[in-house]
Amino acid sequence: LEGSLEKTIKSIGGDCNAGAAAVIDVNSGDLLAMASYPTYDMSQFSEIYSELINNKSNPMLNRAVSGLYSPGSTYKPLTAIAAIQSGVVKPREMITCTGIYDYYKDYQPGCTNTHGYQNVVNAIYNSCNIYFYETARRLGIEKLNSYFSMFGLGEPTGIELSESEGTVDTVKHRELKGELWTPGLTIQAGIGHGDNQFTPIQLCSYVATLANGGTRYKPYMIKSVLSADMSEVIYETEPEVLKTINVSEKTLKIVKQGMRQVVQNGGSSYYFKDCIVDAAGKTGTSQVIRTTESGVSMVCNNGFFISFAPYDDPEI
């Protein structure tokens, strides 16, 4: 995983110089692999410590558990689950994407394209902002945020490492910043923007919960602890269920179909052309303002990909 992560980041080039990845067993919470880039050689830690702490790329930050990022469109499958389960959107209902969301007179955000009629499967596949603006408006921020909480976003996962909690964009959060909540913030939350910030391990746990049918496990790294002579098992981790979410099989099936199309027919299908099993996934992009060493502010993107496989009987 470390090798793949480094190769991918270097192949992107430009201002892409850091990242993280995680792989979870969806049926237990067992963390099978985790990587953060840039990294360093642990065997040389003492010798290169001063170099590490002065390195502006911060290689000692485990971005997988401590990095906080706006999730972008990786949140759209969860918005879809919330909307269908709450009954504000019907699975076959069509919402028209004209490229501009014109429900409000004073705030009319756009979409990446003009998608026309969209049901939930199409909207996930096309990552249609207009569809998810409308579903988020119908849901309201309280209901939307309740699904954030169900799937563990914005709270520690419980993994055996120091981790960041994350931020859920709420009315109270804005009040503490001296800001008023507006309808525009609600619809932006529906596409994973605003002040929502989560760790990669939280996103991975959320997808694992979606993939296995609604059981959120506590992620763990330590499978077992052995005695000094390796002859006796002193401790063995048992999978721990943190929450069982009441999501219908029909709802999950529909959302998974949209994620399947992303891998089958979307731009990400190229990366799965040699995959030996069927997979499903969702891309995500969120804009950030980065300040260069010379003090210049520039708009950059954080890029995400969430996935699960095999599609019919998920394991990771």
Short mmCIF file of all heavy atoms in Angstrom, two decimals, residues 15 124 179 214 236 300:
data_model
loop_
_atom_site.label_atom_id
_atom_site.label_comp_id
_atom_site.label_asym_id
_atom_site.label_seq_id
_atom_site.Cartn_x
_atom_site.Cartn_y
_atom_site.Cartn_z
N ASP A 15 1.36 20.02 -7.74
CA ASP A 15 1.41 20.34 -6.31
C ASP A 15 0.93 19.18 -5.44
O ASP A 15 0.75 19.32 -4.24
CB ASP A 15 0.58 21.59 -6.01
CG ASP A 15 -0.90 21.38 -6.31
OD1 ASP A 15 -1.24 20.35 -6.90
OD2 ASP A 15 -1.71 22.26 -5.95
N ILE A 124 -25.29 9.56 -8.50
CA ILE A 124 -24.04 9.10 -7.88
C ILE A 124 -22.98 8.89 -8.97
O ILE A 124 -21.83 9.32 -8.83
CB ILE A 124 -24.26 7.82 -7.07
CG1 ILE A 124 -25.14 8.11 -5.85
CG2 ILE A 124 -22.93 7.20 -6.63
CD1 ILE A 124 -25.58 6.88 -5.09
N GLU A 179 -20.92 33.10 13.19
CA GLU A 179 -21.59 33.11 11.89
C GLU A 179 -23.02 32.61 12.04
O GLU A 179 -23.35 31.85 12.95
CB GLU A 179 -20.84 32.23 10.89
CG GLU A 179 -19.41 32.67 10.63
CD GLU A 179 -18.66 31.70 9.73
OE1 GLU A 179 -19.28 30.74 9.23
OE2 GLU A 179 -17.45 31.91 9.51
N GLY A 214 -24.59 -2.02 7.09
CA GLY A 214 -24.98 -1.12 8.17
C GLY A 214 -24.40 -1.41 9.54
O GLY A 214 -24.84 -0.83 10.54
N GLU A 236 -6.27 -11.34 22.55
CA GLU A 236 -6.70 -11.41 21.16
C GLU A 236 -7.90 -10.48 20.97
O GLU A 236 -8.85 -10.50 21.76
CB GLU A 236 -7.08 -12.84 20.78
CG GLU A 236 -7.27 -13.02 19.29
CD GLU A 236 -7.23 -14.49 18.88
OE1 GLU A 236 -7.20 -15.35 19.77
OE2 GLU A 236 -7.22 -14.75 17.67
N CYS A 300 -6.15 24.96 -4.60
CA CYS A 300 -5.73 23.61 -4.94
C CYS A 300 -6.88 22.64 -4.66
O CYS A 300 -7.90 23.02 -4.11
CB CYS A 300 -4.50 23.19 -4.13
SG CYS A 300 -3.11 24.32 -4.25
#
